[in-house]
Amino acid sequence: MASSQSTLSPLFSKPPATSLQIAPTTSSDEESAYIDWDNLGFQLMQTDYMYVTKCSDDGIFRQGQLNRYGNIQLSPSAGVLNYGQGLFEGTKAYRREDGRVFLFRPEQNAIRMQIGAERMCMPSPSTDQFVEAVKQTALANKRWIPPFGKGALYIRPLLIGSGPILGFAPAPEYTFLVYACPVGNYFKQGTAPLNLYVEEDVHRASRGGAGGVKSITNYAPVLKAMKNAKANGYSDVLYVDAVNKKYIEEVSSCNIFLVKGNVLSTPIAKGTILEGITRKSIIDIALDLGYTVEERLIEVDELFSADEVFCTGTAVCVAPVGSITYKGQRIEYKISSDQSCKQFYSRLVGIQRGVIKDERNWIVEIE
């Protein structure tokens, strides 16, 4: 139980090839990257290759290629720079104890990008093209995949309006790009419980907007709220709905769940909340474990009576919440080894690592 206390020019310098190409390799490409895997954290680390493909008026993405990771060229009038026409995704590649490499539900990321692309008037790669691009990127950067149990290779697919446009309209050309980076824990405090701050004045999304898709335009507007919260010692910000200002929605980059007894509740996704892949997976896992799952409107006041609260996302995985501050009151949650979120985390990670049988075909091996 919670307790409370006061308180286009061409995009690249070289034209894209018509078939998959890889830049010449060196001997280091076959070696493991020299990294302190025990202190990885979540920060940008340049790897070896990125995948690129483009399409124009016909909306069909060509066969992609792998280029050395590096800067790209964009026209100053590119649609993504002037009108924010862009989407991104996030998935991970995991190394198992036997050395084999797997992805977790990449087709769901492809489908989510397609939904987002339709909302943003953009063409999108097919599910097969998307998954193949992710596989190629992971394989090309295989030496950067952390050892078993030390982290994962975070893979970031981007879809951007790369063509030049002056008047407000969809871009005439689009680029699908995938890069990767080895990562550990998302938050600086590692696996320590999160301390959230409920923000009532700044809103992440509103009805009719693009909050339900992974648009690049959803993130910069909340940077100020995040910066202020972190300056005051909080891990992140929990946002409320923009209309009534009383229903919780999500944290800056992850979904949120409440547990009360045997009931798991999460805000319903109705256009202002991103439907995370990890969110979907935790809902299925909870049902398997016998929990009742509710997707509904959740009032902020329910935080006071929740037994536990946790966040989910590709980057954060499953992160317990230790406290939430709302209107000057700090709500604290007991952290214990038998928490529901730790059961969910163990089941999820067990499936990803191959320790627990994958009954739903969530895992895709990279060969």
Side-chain angles (χ1 to χ4, degrees):
M1 181 72 67
S3 63
S4 66
Q5 63 187 50
S6 293
T7 60
L8 219 205
S9 295
L11 178 65
F12 294 90
S13 55
K14 294 181 180 179
T18 56
S19 60
L20 184 65
Q21 296 183 351
I22 301 177
T25 62
T26 64
S27 59
S28 63
D29 291 330
E30 307 304 322
E31 301 169 359
S32 295
Y34 182 73
I35 296 173
D36 181 2
W37 298 114
D38 293 319
N39 296 287
L40 196 52
F42 198 97
Q43 57 189 356
L44 184 63
M45 188 179 299
Q46 181 173 318
T47 52
D48 297 323
Y49 297 101
M50 59 186 185
Y51 180 100
V52 187
T53 182
K54 295 163 64 174
C55 84
S56 51
D57 292 342
D58 60 5
I60 299 173
F61 282 89
R62 309 293 182 248
Q63 178 69 42
Q65 67 178 29
L66 286 167
N67 291 347
R68 282 288 184 174
Y69 181 94
N71 294 339
I72 64 175
Q73 290 183 343
L74 281 176
S75 165
S77 58
V80 65
L81 298 180
N82 289 262
Y83 301 116
Q85 199 180 22
L87 297 161
F88 74 90
E89 277 296 329
T91 188
K92 287 178 177 177
Y94 303 87
R95 191 186 298 274
R96 290 190 176 174
E97 207 163 11
D98 61 5
R100 292 187 298 162
V101 176
F102 294 81
L103 299 170
F104 183 71
R105 307 189 73 178
E107 78 289 344
Q108 290 297 311
N109 295 92
I111 292 169
R112 188 168 66 179
M113 177 169 276
Q114 291 160 12
I115 293 170
E118 182 179 7
R119 175 66 179 83
M120 304 293 283
C121 293
M122 305 168 72
S124 60
S126 69
T127 299
D128 288 343
Q129 285 178 314
F130 182 102
V131 173
E132 182 61 23
V134 169
K135 285 183 177 181
Q136 291 288 346
T137 305
L139 278 175
N141 295 292
K142 188 175 180 179
R143 73 190 186 103
W144 297 92
I145 303 176
F148 175 77
K150 299 293 185 180
L153 185 72
Y154 183 81
I155 302 171
R156 171 64 62 85
L158 293 168
L159 180 61
I160 61 174
S162 51
I165 188 80
L166 181 60
F168 183 39
E173 178 187 86
Y174 296 88
T175 297
F176 176 57
L177 183 153
V178 186
Y179 68 93
C181 174
V183 298
N185 292 315
Y186 180 76
F187 291 103
K188 288 185 178 180
Q189 65 265 44
T191 57
L194 307 181
N195 299 306
L196 304 180
Y197 175 80
V198 177
E199 175 60 61
E200 299 177 82
D201 296 321
V202 176
H203 301 286
R204 179 192 167 274
S206 60
R207 292 180 184 176
V213 299
K214 209 165 177 63
S215 167
I216 62 173
T217 57
N218 290 339
Y219 294 84
V222 299
L223 285 174
K224 186 174 182 179
M226 280 182 58
K227 182 179 178 181
N228 290 341
K230 291 184 177 184
N232 286 290
Y234 299 104
S235 309
D236 211 330
V237 177
L238 173 58
Y239 300 92
V240 296
D241 75 290
V243 177
N244 301 290
K245 297 188 179 183
K246 69 174 185 177
Y247 299 109
I248 63 171
E249 295 211 318
E250 60 181 311
V251 181
S252 301
S253 58
C254 45
N255 297 121
I256 192 164
F257 286 83
L258 280 66
V259 179
K260 180 70 173 176
N262 200 48
V263 179
L264 178 67
S265 302
T266 191
I268 188 169
K270 294 183 66 176
T272 58
I273 295 172
L274 186 69
E275 293 191 71
I277 312 303
T278 309
R279 175 184 181 273
K280 289 183 177 182
S281 304
I282 291 300
I283 287 173
D284 286 338
I285 288 171
L287 291 170
D288 288 345
L289 294 175
Y291 285 79
T292 297
V293 178
E294 299 177 343
E295 295 181 71
R296 60 178 177 82
L297 294 175
I298 300 175
E299 293 193 17
V300 186
D301 288 342
E302 293 185 52
L303 295 171
F304 287 92
S305 60
D307 294 332
E308 62 179 284
V309 177
F310 63 91
C311 296
T312 65
T314 298
V316 306
C317 193
V318 179
V321 173
S323 74
I324 299 177
T325 298
Y326 174 55
K327 291 186 181 297
Q329 288 187 295
R330 183 181 175 91
I331 312 164
E332 296 187 340
Y333 302 96
K334 183 179 178 181
I335 304 298
S336 64
S337 59
D338 60 349
Q339 279 186 294
S340 299
C341 73
K342 294 190 177 180
Q343 295 180 48
F344 304 148
Y345 172 83
S346 296
R347 178 67 66 95
L348 177 65
V349 173
I351 294 170
Q352 291 170 340
R353 293 179 178 176
V355 177
I356 296 175
K357 186 176 180 181
D358 174 22
E359 301 282 359
R360 289 189 170 85
N361 296 318
W362 284 349
I363 304 301
V364 176
E365 184 170 7
I366 302 175
E367 300 175 312

